Amino acid sequence: MMISTQTLVIFLTTCFFLSATPGPNMLSALSMGMRHGLVGAAWGGIGMCLSLGLLAGLSALGVGVLLKTSTLAFTLFKWAGVAYLTWLGIQAWRAPIREEAGEVEAAMSAGPDRRGQVGLLGQGLLITLSNPKALVFMAAFFPQFIDPQRPMAPQLTILVVTMLMIEFGWIMTYAVGGRGLALRLTGPAAQRWLNRMTGALLIAAGLLLAMASL
């Protein structure tokens, strides 16, 4: 085996609990579930996971270590992410209200159109890519589970695929919670509150990112 069973179990358990933590990705997934239903959240989740896969590759190339040594680069990435999440939060806060309960359920069931899917995919990509802490974390995290006596590429592939499966599972778990809440808020006043709640969640994700440090 490229990775021992014990190492894989420890990695899986660690990733399971780390992914469950409500950081920027999970708060964004909750917000997507509220606004766009499970289909929309899945597209956003795919974008987040593609970004995580890219960040894992960059960490293997040493970019994470480089970013860790450059306070300026880390800060620029971080505040770009904060600004983006805050902008998304303001957009959600000001989103139009669906007047009828049926409109909410129909939109949740149908999911976004093709343009909306691409938009949510891109949104997920940017949310994760603009988090420099994720890249720095991976640069420090993955080497602990890689045996230098074995080929690195197969080990890294197994670890990244495992991490992405767990991450996507938690993204959809948060999205299910968000969708369930949205379906219970059907009146205009409740819809207005929902918009403000989703906006606040995204802004809160930005605040979590703002508190990140090397």
Side-chain angles (χ1 to χ4, degrees):
M1 292 181 65
M2 283 297 171
I3 300 179
S4 70
T5 302
Q6 181 181 6
T7 299
L8 192 57
V9 168
I10 294 172
F11 179 81
L12 190 152
T13 304
T14 305
C15 281
F16 182 85
F17 288 106
L18 287 175
S19 293
T21 306
N25 275 11
M26 296 308 151
L27 291 180
S28 299
L30 183 62
S31 174
M32 288 177 182
M34 287 179 175
R35 295 192 64 202
H36 306 289
L38 297 185
V39 176
W43 280 98
I46 291 170
M48 293 179 201
C49 288
L50 287 173
S51 286
L52 283 174
L54 175 60
L55 292 177
L58 290 174
S59 74
L61 294 173
V63 177
V65 176
L66 179 63
L67 188 60
K68 186 175 181 179
T69 61
S70 174
T71 304
L72 177 60
F74 182 90
T75 302
L76 288 175
F77 267 97
K78 181 179 78 171
W79 287 106
V82 171
Y84 181 62
L85 285 166
T86 302
W87 179 79
L88 289 176
I90 293 170
Q91 294 292 104
W93 188 288
R94 300 172 60 186
I97 297 170
R98 303 183 185 104
E99 296 293 337
E100 301 296 333
E103 291 182 49
V104 178
E105 190 167 357
M108 290 286 179
S109 299
D113 57 18
R114 179 63 62 181
R115 183 177 178 182
Q117 292 169 357
V118 173
L120 287 166
L121 179 69
Q123 184 175 314
L125 280 165
L126 288 174
I127 286 170
T128 303
L129 280 177
S130 59
N131 183 358
K133 190 71 173 180
L135 183 54
V136 172
F137 170 76
M138 287 185 190
F141 182 63
F142 280 109
Q144 300 179 53
F145 299 94
I146 291 178
D147 184 347
Q149 303 302 318
R150 299 176 180 178
M152 189 182 83
Q155 294 182 78
L156 188 61
T157 299
I158 293 170
L159 294 176
V160 171
V161 170
T162 300
M163 177 191 70
L164 295 184
M165 290 174 63
I166 294 170
E167 183 79 4
F168 189 77
W170 274 115
I171 285 170
M172 295 311 298
T173 299
Y174 273 77
V176 167
R179 178 182 180 274
L181 180 60
L183 290 175
R184 289 173 173 78
L185 301 174
T186 55
Q191 281 290 302
R192 191 174 295 109
W193 183 86
L194 177 66
N195 287 345
R196 291 176 179 176
M197 184 176 178
T198 54
L201 282 170
L202 289 166
I203 293 170
L207 290 174
L208 284 176
L209 183 55
M211 292 187 289
S213 60
L214 287 172

